[in-house]
Amino acid sequence: AQGELELRVVSLDLTESQVEQVSDLPALWLRNLVLSGSPVSSLDGISKLFPKLLSIDLSFVDIPSIVGGWDALAACASLRTLLGEGSCVATFEDMPVMKALESLELLENDVEEVEELKTLAAKCPNLKRLDLRENPVVSESGYAKAVKKHLPGLSWHNNQSLKKQTAKAAALGKVAIAVNADVAAVDGLYKNESCSCLEGNPCIDPATCVDWANREVVAKEARRKKGLRGPAGEFI
């Protein structure tokens, strides 16, 4: 039963829990982990405990005070999204290169210098979504220009889409602002979906699959265990 639980749990919400060390948690095939408001002091081993982690919420956790915290996060090879509202981040100098990171939400932090954007661009070369609202840097002259210069790949910035849209298309209703759709898709990926191979249907997305390379075999074995048969009584 424990093994089955480990395969099926893809999201874990530990908001305002008493978790101090991630190493105290069981190894799971998590895609989404929420530790918002928890007294986290160590992230050691997070990449081994949750090798398929895609998103982590460390809002209201003092990220810079966690010894080796940035390195532990960078070791999560598939990490795409990091949320850290009110997490005391003032600089990106200590952040290792995180090539997989696509979304960084750091509302209400302490980033002040415009030069930090250049540093961030070097550390997160594939960043597509960035939210630095309520950071002092946003009010600095040259901020908007620096964002365009150093982070040209952004499609979403400070809760605003940067995708080019024509007034005519928008007026005709041909341009869809897919904010809610994106959120629903993320929720489905991280929180609602599990590996369909375990139900007998091969996965179509490696992000939710426990064994992508052998998905057909896993699905076939699941169908056998469920006793599913075809019209002629054969196992399907």
Side-chain angles (χ1 to χ4, degrees):
Q2 179 63 29
E4 184 177 356
L5 175 63
E6 292 177 354
L7 292 175
R8 291 178 179 273
V9 175
V10 295
S11 182
L12 188 61
D13 189 338
L14 296 173
T15 299
E16 297 183 353
S17 68
Q18 297 304 309
V19 174
E20 296 184 12
Q21 300 186 41
V22 169
S23 58
D24 291 335
L25 300 175
L28 299 165
W29 290 109
L30 288 183
R31 274 62 166 181
N32 180 61
L33 176 61
V34 180
L35 291 169
S36 177
S38 298
V40 180
S41 61
S42 172
L43 292 171
D44 291 352
I46 189 171
S47 62
K48 293 182 179 180
L49 286 171
F50 316 124
K52 296 197 174 186
L53 190 66
L54 299 176
S55 174
I56 187 168
D57 188 344
L58 291 171
S59 295
F60 309 109
V61 173
D62 189 342
I63 296 177
S65 73
I66 301 175
V67 177
W70 283 120
D71 289 328
L73 291 171
C76 298
S78 299
L79 190 66
R80 300 179 191 171
T81 299
L82 171 60
L83 293 85
E85 179 178 353
S87 293
C88 304
V89 176
T91 180
F92 301 114
E93 288 289 346
D94 298 328
M95 177 189 286
V97 174
M98 301 176 71
K99 292 184 178 180
L101 198 68
E102 298 180 355
S103 179
L104 180 63
E105 298 185 21
L106 293 176
L107 286 77
E108 296 187 50
N109 278 271
D110 304 315
V111 180
E112 296 184 356
E113 304 296 331
V114 172
E115 289 74 16
E116 289 293 337
L117 295 172
K118 182 178 180 181
T119 302
L120 176 61
K123 299 301 179 69
C124 303
N126 295 306
L127 203 62
K128 295 180 175 61
R129 300 171 69 98
L130 174 65
D131 200 332
L132 291 176
R133 285 176 293 163
E134 300 186 51
N135 279 259
V137 68
V138 176
S139 301
E140 292 293 314
S141 60
Y143 171 76
K145 184 177 180 179
V147 169
K148 290 182 179 180
K149 178 181 179 180
H150 299 300
L151 297 162
L154 291 183
S155 60
W156 194 264
H157 174 236
N158 288 357
N159 205 35
Q160 297 291 324
S161 174
L162 298 183
K163 294 181 180 179
K164 294 181 178 179
Q165 303 170 1
T166 65
K168 181 178 179 180
L172 294 174
K174 294 182 178 180
V175 178
I177 308 299
V179 178
N180 292 332
D182 288 345
V183 172
V186 170
D187 283 345
L189 175 60
Y190 298 150
K191 299 180 181 180
N192 299 329
E193 291 187 9
S194 59
C195 177
S196 62
C197 299
L198 302 176
E199 302 299 326
N201 298 309
C203 282
I204 59 174
D205 189 334
T208 58
C209 190
V210 298
D211 191 351
W212 178 251
N214 299 300
R215 59 191 181 280
E216 295 288 348
V217 175
V218 174
K220 183 176 181 180
E221 178 63 14
R223 292 195 297 272
R224 185 189 68 79
K225 289 183 177 180
K226 289 176 177 290
L228 299 179
R229 298 175 181 270
E234 75 282 9
F235 284 110
I236 58 175

